[in-house]
Amino acid sequence: MSPRACRGAAVIVPDSQTPVIIAGGGPVGLSLALGLARQGVRSIIFEQAAELPPFPRAIVVLTRTLEVFQSWDVADAFRARGEFVQTVRPVSALTNKQLIAIDFSQLADETPSAGVIVLPQETTEKLLLQELRRTGMCEVRFNYKLIGATQDESGVAVAVAGENGETQEVRARFLVGADGAHSAVRAAMGLALEGMTYPAHVFLADVGIADERDNLPWPRVVAGERPRGAIRFEPGRWRVIGSLSPEQAEGTLPQAFLGEVVRETIGSGPYTLLWHSTFTIHRRHAKTFRKGRMLLAGDAGHLNSPAGGQGMNAGIQDAHNLAWKLAFALRGGNVDLLLDSYDAERHQAITEGVERLTEVLTRFGLLMPKAMRNPIGAILRRALSFRVFANRLVRAASMLNTGYWRSPLFLGKSSLLGKRAPQPELLVKYTPTLVLHRPSPDVLAAAHDLGIPDVEVVRAHDWRRWRCALPFAALVRPDGVVGSFHRNPSGESVHNGARGALGFPT
Ligand SMILES: Cc1cc2nc3c(=O)[nH]c(=O)nc-3n(C[C@H](O)[C@H](O)[C@H](O)COP(=O)(O)OP(=O)(O)OC[C@H]3O[C@@H](n4cnc5c(N)ncnc54)[C@H](O)[C@@H]3O)c2cc1C
């Protein structure tokens, strides 16, 4: 239904006060609203469900997402509720012998959050909603379903259906679809999720374990013809996951089968089945995440295999990239440059980062016949004893390897452009920083006269991290990415570089 169908209905949001409409109050919609709030931008979320869903789904908050939460000042709440893990040591469920070690502490030099937090998605969502409500900057309307959207040059018009079926028209400057895999916003943009579905069926069950098996080491792996695994995501709550034959995938899973999997992975004994699901897995994305003033974030824009636990994390990182750009567009930045850069950067992060990693993990972990998986597993274990390889794996698993090479916001040729700022403290604030090394008076004057509020000017505390002993100026964006870098800068190059990197006219 297009908004035309409800022309004449009350416009429930005044345009100037709430410039961003978000469809969907899942982890990505809530994160986007929180990021916008931190940038001083009000938003409204329409969520079709009556309340947050009770399902755990994603159970790990990865390192890069922890940095995002730290930049929004909410990381402590997550650390207090979840289990912070610095080294993941998968063990064989048959022997309890450690198979490999994935040691996040080796990242301590480049991140203030060198680890991951094990936490069920329902708690992540509750914490995000709680922190969002504290800001007073977002109205979350449950029981409101987006049923259509149109746009013109100045804004968007959205049709929403309320609890009793009444429809209303809402206008704003931008609409973001964070409304999941079956996104109505994506449909309104005329887009589909393109890609492939793996020839694999996966089951997932969450079980309650109340005896001494709850103290077993995890993750636990059974490397059979159809591999299975188990992970404890909260005291007393375990997730078992594995692949199914096509015959098993038809119909509902028999209790006896689930009991067998629990016995294999966690051991014999009583358990309570809390939730289970069977599903197919995909590698799909929309060909663009932006059309005019409509944007896609999270599962609305891309769907991935759960191998590697990247789906929710990638969506929250979309929100982190997008929120400051919407805010800067609203403050007079170039709308097209900023929003095109969101599309270019996050497309690259999804297709060259998330999809590649989940592809390897899915093919190795779920699809490869046992006869091949065992020798390749042995090679992998050997390779992990080499520091360089182990570091690459850990950076990919933590999502710290995300960098952007293609973006209309990048000008110039420095190899630092699009990379993470090499000073970790700059990764966990959500405002831009201009880093200067041995600045001339001309550069200092330009740095303090950028005409953009909130740009903090600091001295590089260690030029070696920037691999440049010469005088330099680097603009670090709110998302911690190096947006411009000039050696031997002039006042003019600092002015133009910093403004351009933030989407402002030079
Ligand atoms: C079984 C399972 C296990 C998973 N495990 C992991 C994991 O271990 N790690 C990981 O990172 N990811 C995992 N994922 C993926 C992760 O859950 C998703 O990537 C994540 O939920 C995406 O968040 P989202 O906010 O984009 O979408 P969703 O969580 O789907 O939220 C979308 C919201 O939009 C609402 N909505 C939909 N249509 C409308 C509409 N028209 N109007 C208003 N509201 C609407 C929905 O009600 C929903 O609340 C798993 C997913 C599943 C299904």
Side-chain angles (χ1 to χ4, degrees), residues 402-406 410-423 427 435 437 460 462-477 480-487 501:
T402 305
Y404 304 125
W405 335 122
R406 288 186 292 276
F410 299 152
L411 300 171
K413 283 205 168 2
S414 167
S415 61
L416 285 164
L417 282 184
K419 301 239 171 82
R420 292 160 55 76
Q423 282 180 222
L427 299 163
V435 184
H437 179 53
D462 181 359
W463 58 266
R464 276 170 290 258
R465 284 183 173 266
W466 296 85
R467 296 195 190 141
C468 183
L470 298 171
F472 68 79
L475 188 285
V476 179
R477 311 186 321 190
V481 168
V482 179
S484 75
F485 187 86
H486 290 94
R487 284 163 213 265

Side-chain angles (χ1 to χ4, degrees), residues 294-376:
M294 295 187 192
L295 300 119
L296 298 174
D299 279 14
H302 44 87
L303 265 191
N304 303 100
S305 157
Q310 306 245 313
M312 177 190 77
N313 287 278
I316 292 172
Q317 291 161 37
D318 290 346
H320 191 243
N321 185 295
L322 179 57
W324 75 264
K325 290 175 178 172
L326 285 170
F328 280 49
L330 287 161
R331 281 185 214 157
N334 184 313
V335 174
D336 285 328
L337 266 185
L338 285 159
L339 300 189
D340 280 348
S341 79
Y342 166 72
D343 178 35
E345 293 173 13
R346 291 310 297 165
H347 239 98
Q348 186 212 306
I350 299 304
T351 56
E352 295 176 21
V354 175
E355 290 190 352
R356 281 189 192 164
L357 180 71
T358 54
E359 164 80 3
V360 170
L361 295 177
T362 304
R363 297 228 173 257
F364 175 73
L366 290 174
L367 300 177
M368 195 175 277
K370 187 180 172 190
M372 273 174 78
R373 198 176 339 108
N374 285 354
I376 291 181

Side-chain angles (χ1 to χ4, degrees), residues 186-326:
R186 192 180 65 233
M189 291 164 76
L191 295 168
L193 288 179
E194 296 171 16
M196 53 88 77
T197 298
Y198 288 93
H201 299 273
V202 176
F203 75 90
L204 178 157
D206 291 340
V207 296
I209 300 285
D211 54 37
E212 68 284 353
R213 288 170 300 158
D214 199 35
N215 299 318
L216 285 168
W218 51 267
R220 309 180 61 72
V221 178
V222 179
E225 198 51 58
R226 298 207 171 275
R228 281 146 194 189
I231 180 168
R232 194 187 76 165
F233 61 91
E234 256 183 1
R237 288 172 86 192
W238 286 72
R239 167 160 302 174
V240 291
I241 185 164
S243 65
L244 295 170
S245 66
E247 304 77 55
Q248 286 170 318
E250 281 178 16
T252 50
L253 282 183
Q255 279 284 343
F257 170 82
L258 287 174
E260 175 67 16
V261 176
V262 172
R263 191 189 60 70
E264 270 184 356
T265 52
I266 310 175
S268 302
Y271 69 91
T272 325
L273 180 61
L274 305 172
W275 179 66
H276 79 281
S277 172
T278 59
F279 49 95
T280 45
I281 47 181
H282 310 274
R283 195 185 69 219
R284 294 176 179 274
H285 58 262
K287 68 172 185 261
T288 175
F289 298 159
R290 178 201 176 200
K291 270 199 175 176
R293 291 172 173 272
M294 295 187 192
L295 300 119
L296 298 174
D299 279 14
H302 44 87
L303 265 191
N304 303 100
S305 157
Q310 306 245 313
M312 177 190 77
N313 287 278
I316 292 172
Q317 291 161 37
D318 290 346
H320 191 243
N321 185 295
L322 179 57
W324 75 264
K325 290 175 178 172
L326 285 170

